[in-house]
Amino acid sequence: MNAGPPETVVRDGTYAATPLDIPAGTITQLFLEACAEWPARDAFRTKESGAWRGMSHAELLERVRDVAAGLETLGQEPGDRLAILSENRLGWALADYAIMCRGAVSVPVYATLPASQIQYLLADSGVRIVFVSDAEQRDKVLAIRGELPSVEKLIAFDDDTGLDGDDYVITLRDLMRAGADARATGQAGADFEELAAAPEPDDLLTILYTSGTTGTPKGVMLTHGNLFYDVEASLIALPLRKARRALSLLPLAHIFERMLDYALFRAGVTISYAESISAVPRNMVEVKPHIVAAVPRLYEKIHARVMATPGIRGKLVDWAAGVGERWAEDTLAGREPPLAVRIRHAVADRLVFSKVRAGVGGELEFFISGGAPLSADIARFFHAAGVLILEGYGLSETSPVTNVNTPENRRIGTVGKPIPGTEVKIADDGEILIRGPQVMPGYYNLPEETEAALVDGWFHTGDIGEIDADGFLKITDRKKEILVTAGGKNVAPAPIEQAAKANKFVQEVVMVGDRKPYTVLLVVPDFNALAPWAAANGVRVDTERALIENATVQRKMFDEVFACFARLARYQTPKKIGLLEHPFTIESGELTPKQSVKRRVVLERYADTIEALYDTEDDVIAEFVPEQEPGGDSDD
């Protein structure tokens, strides 16, 4: 039974959730307890040959035993570093649990990273064995094989190594077969329980490489105790145990999805792996999940798709959105809407909002949102549609959750109150500081960076925020991304960018203005909404480039974007916009693996556009940059 989050107490400006009696533990302990409690229930489901197939906890445990025994036959020792370079799939979980049950340390790597960045991560951590998902990931490692003297073996999840006669690469199937044979003959696996029970809470579980959107990657060290505490505290704060199905779609290389999957696994929730990001809409309808974790880009895309509905149906959607805004304003303030609003909302729900709920599976209890601030306008839209989004906060360095809204206690525009045993306070310069059992011990082999980040037990997040009188935390910006105009005005870009992205014609936006006389915006239009509008208004063009060159379209985008800024102070309001032809992508280097915008990369790539915005009197500048090779930094 979920007891809900404890009360928040305030002492000397520090907001803390009342500590509960959560004993220290390990993730291997969590794994074995869940397998013992739910042996017949499906732990995971994957889609194979067009059908969803499940694997019970009992079968999973046997396969993990085989993988662990296979690793033993390769000479793997406790404390070794083993990397997982893969998209979300069953092999990821098998490798992860086998690594920890062997007393080793996992090093997850985003499958979207190029070989040059992978080389740094594997070399810095001294990885001995790398699990790879497919030929693409295998070939990345093979391309840098000569620069990875510590790497002795690749284990491919797919059944074809592609390298006849080269035992540098073996398949997971062959590893498991070798492990099963060694178990049967008593040559390996006899000490599985002993090794799995050996880790202490302070022992290292994983090294996560993160650099945010700039800088050299840093290895965040997280212990068994860090993750175990965050799992247990999250199970107290959120009603995860009431769910039966979840869809896993964010990269498991990021700690947000990984920690949540540990918590869901412990609660006996069946986790289905999305086939791909592009397949998420279809998979949500098929799986009918009760819980999904996602970043704001998913909600923005759903909202944009709904608002881009063409024709008469589109007018109905616009009407429903307006009704929903009025209804949400009252209900979120604790007031009953007037009868007329309630009647209109009931009609809007039947004709529009029910379709939104069906589009996310029809049985969703709630989304959990993290990774970046969620636009309050979009949050209100989903609230009106009967789709609950619980926004939370945390970083790789905090395992990650420190704050979260709950079904019983939430406030749109905030990331909620601290989870049990977690302390949050705001420094004199506005920076958010965190202290709790989930905070990392430090960065791998980086004592100076560790000392700078952890001061007297407080982790300095680099985020700027404020805490209201009830203890709800609001993130206002990144400390290093505050823009200071030439006139000395401090402008936080995040809330302004969020306001613009709430418009259905906007896909991405980046604010510019540091040391400039005024601020401007780089805007990627949502062409799925803009093209139909243009066609309906007599603009006949064949390409996206021609679309944003058109004066009528430029004026439309200017009017739409600037309509979002009515409540801004004059110095906060951008003066011009630059329209960009190409959407930001991970492959082009403008987005991180968790789909945050790499501000530095964007500013460098569109430097000419930015210069033109300051050198001309035009309100709108259109820019066309040729496709470039992927690059840039990794992200937490």
Side-chain angles (χ1 to χ4, degrees), residues 210-383:
T210 172
S211 64
T213 52
T214 61
T216 302
K218 300 187 292 290
V220 176
M221 297 187 293
L222 294 179
T223 67
H224 277 270
N226 290 149
L227 268 297
F228 183 88
Y229 192 93
D230 216 48
V231 165
E232 292 296 315
S234 296
L235 287 169
I236 293 169
L238 295 171
L240 302 179
R241 296 183 188 275
K242 295 180 180 179
R244 289 298 299 270
R245 296 184 301 277
L247 185 67
S248 176
L249 58 93
L250 296 180
L252 283 165
H254 189 269
I255 196 61
F256 180 22
E257 185 72 63
R258 188 173 170 193
M259 188 285 293
L260 178 62
D261 281 11
Y262 286 155
L264 294 169
F265 185 88
R266 182 62 191 92
V269 179
T270 298
I271 300 168
S272 296
Y273 288 123
E275 296 173 88
S276 65
I277 292 297
S278 61
V280 165
R282 179 177 70 248
N283 291 164
M284 279 204 278
V285 173
E286 295 168 339
V287 171
K288 300 186 184 305
H290 298 138
I291 294 174
V292 178
V295 293
R297 278 181 65 84
L298 175 69
Y299 315 119
E300 292 163 3
K301 287 181 177 180
I302 295 173
H303 176 263
R305 189 166 64 245
V306 173
M307 298 306 296
T309 304
I312 296 176
R313 182 75 183 172
K315 295 183 183 301
L316 176 62
V317 169
D318 287 341
W319 171 81
V323 171
E325 180 74 20
R326 176 70 177 84
W327 183 85
E329 181 181 344
D330 284 332
T331 56
L332 289 170
R335 301 187 299 265
E336 182 178 48
L339 177 60
V341 174
R342 298 202 306 272
I343 292 172
R344 287 196 292 269
H345 181 263
V347 175
D349 187 81
R350 181 175 180 180
L351 298 179
V352 176
F353 295 144
S354 61
K355 309 299 190 297
V356 176
R357 293 194 297 275
V360 295
E363 298 184 22
L364 189 77
E365 294 291 335
F366 54 85
F367 280 112
I368 304 175
S369 182
L374 176 66
S375 162
D377 289 340
I378 289 178
R380 284 192 291 269
F381 171 84
F382 280 100
H383 170 74

Side-chain angles (χ1 to χ4, degrees), residues 463-477:
D463 288 323
I464 300 295
E466 54 193 36
I467 303 174
D468 68 19
D470 297 318
F472 287 88
L473 175 65
K474 181 178 182 180
I475 312 300
T476 58
D477 220 297

Side-chain angles (χ1 to χ4, degrees), residues 138 142 145 159-169 171:
R138 175 204 68 204
L142 291 177
R145 178 177 179 177
D159 289 340
D160 182 10
T161 67
L163 295 175
D164 293 337
D166 187 346
D167 64 0
Y168 185 70
V169 184
T171 68

